[in-house]
Amino acid sequence: MSIIHEESVRGGSMFRDINADDEDSQPTEIESMCMNCHEDGMTRLLLSKIPFFKEVIVSSFRCDHCHWSNTEIQSAGRIQDQGIRYTVKIRSKPDLDREVVRSDSAITKIPELDFEAPAYTQKGSLSTIEGLLDRAVTALQQDQAVRRADFPDLALQIDEFVNKLQKLKLVEEEFTLIIEDPSGNSFVENPVAPQKDEAMTVTHFTRTVDQDAQLGLYPENELEEEKTENNLEAMRGEVLKFKTNCPECNVPASTNMKLVQIPHFKEVIIMATNCDDCGHRTNEVKSGGATEELGTKITLHVTDASDMSRDLLKSETCGILIPELEFELGMAAVGGKFTTLEGLLTNIKDLIVSKNPFLCGDSSTSDRSEKLQQFGAKIDRIMAGEMDVHIILDDPAGNSYIQNVYAPDPDPELTIEKYTRTYEQNEDLGLNDMKTEGYAETE
């Protein structure tokens, strides 16, 4: 804003032609942090206009503490409708003095040396053709001391290539410089402008889809899809909170809800309610998608204690079976859970042993209590990896999951079967009476 104000006071344009004799073309100085030593340095900004080209912003930074400096140039205009390609024949030393504006997205090529500097590997620069060659030499010579110690053959090849680049500055032979910029914001000076430059060819081209994507340009329909994805991504990173009543004491409480993406599976909704009045806490997992067309039966062969750390999603419609213990738990017993296998077994043990009302008071019998204690001991042995068992999750809705630790490769201890639901299972899920088409009745 200060730049605009100063230029308005002087009555001139914000962007002035590059001219060393123009006293009004003074840079704006901004104190900023040095990225090398983290002390305060000085950044100078100059809004300039290159003749026969366009407006640019030249920035220069210098740190008086570590003496690190950096220069950069950015286009002050928009991305052009077409990309641009400059092909220049360098025939004599004066050709090396041509001014060059190279944006971040530009590719620099020298076909005679099979040399290419890819896009986005260097910051934008305002230089000459000789300056581009010097900058390439400097980049290649960086870390050469380390390469000579660790990779002497590679260092020797780079030294030979650097010599070829330096030899180009002598212009003993004609060579070609190509600058290709999809954004259309690069520039090579025409020293005879406005006349035609016989040594330079300028070509405009239509960008490819990949080049548009690199520049952040998308068709409108893709922008809408991206906006939807961004909204979903924001929801995934945000915890939503809404008012509810405690299921234990019915006092007003709050429920937290978050959308979570399970790798190699689907999205789920995790809900947790905490009551500040009675201290009751509950959490539940809901599937973020629709009921699958087929049911899913997941069988995990537990062979090691490390299996206890596998992530596990048990939906509210899923039953649990452990054939070796002759144990089966119905779908609604422990509700929806997103936990580990150890966490699920701990919940089962708490439900059967610790929180079982038939082990308390007059309803408790010694035989029943002993059997349940033995069952709890077996659960402990499974969690310790001392029992070889199979854990089966049978979910007619197809919304349960056990982590494949070998993903994306198959897990030798994990079997997933898809099956067609029975009429009774569809009835339990409320699908038999669900009508999704043909609402309008014809007379």
Side-chain angles (χ1 to χ4, degrees), residues 257-378:
M257 181 176 71
K258 185 173 183 180
L259 190 65
V260 176
Q261 174 69 45
I262 299 178
H264 306 288
F265 188 53
K266 60 174 68 176
E267 289 181 331
V268 297
I269 301 171
I270 300 179
M271 304 175 67
T273 302
N274 297 331
C275 180
D276 295 333
D277 191 73
C278 69
H280 177 74
R281 295 185 178 183
T282 180
N283 63 76
E284 191 173 355
V285 174
K286 299 286 187 182
S287 172
T291 300
E292 300 291 327
E293 294 183 2
L294 299 174
T296 302
K297 184 177 182 181
I298 306 173
T299 303
L300 174 64
H301 185 198
V302 180
T303 59
D304 190 80
S306 61
D307 288 325
M308 294 299 108
S309 61
R310 290 177 184 253
D311 288 334
L312 178 147
L313 171 65
K314 177 202 172 297
S315 75
E316 63 274 14
T317 60
C318 178
I320 305 172
L321 296 88
I322 306 177
E324 288 80 3
L325 302 186
E326 297 182 354
F327 172 77
E328 181 176 352
L329 190 67
M331 63 173 65
V334 292
K337 296 285 183 182
F338 182 43
T339 179
T340 60
L341 182 58
E342 182 179 11
L344 180 66
L345 292 175
T346 301
N347 288 334
I348 292 174
K349 180 183 176 183
D350 291 342
L351 180 68
I352 302 300
V353 181
S354 304
K355 300 179 181 179
N356 193 332
F358 294 101
L359 293 181
C360 306
D362 297 338
S363 61
S364 175
T365 63
S366 59
D367 291 343
R368 179 183 297 167
S369 177
E370 183 178 354
K371 288 181 180 179
L372 293 179
Q373 293 296 338
Q374 290 177 355
F375 177 84
K378 291 179 180 179

Side-chain angles (χ1 to χ4, degrees), residues 2-13:
S2 61
I3 299 174
I4 297 175
H5 176 71
E6 291 173 7
E7 295 293 349
S8 299
V9 170
R10 288 196 293 261
S13 171

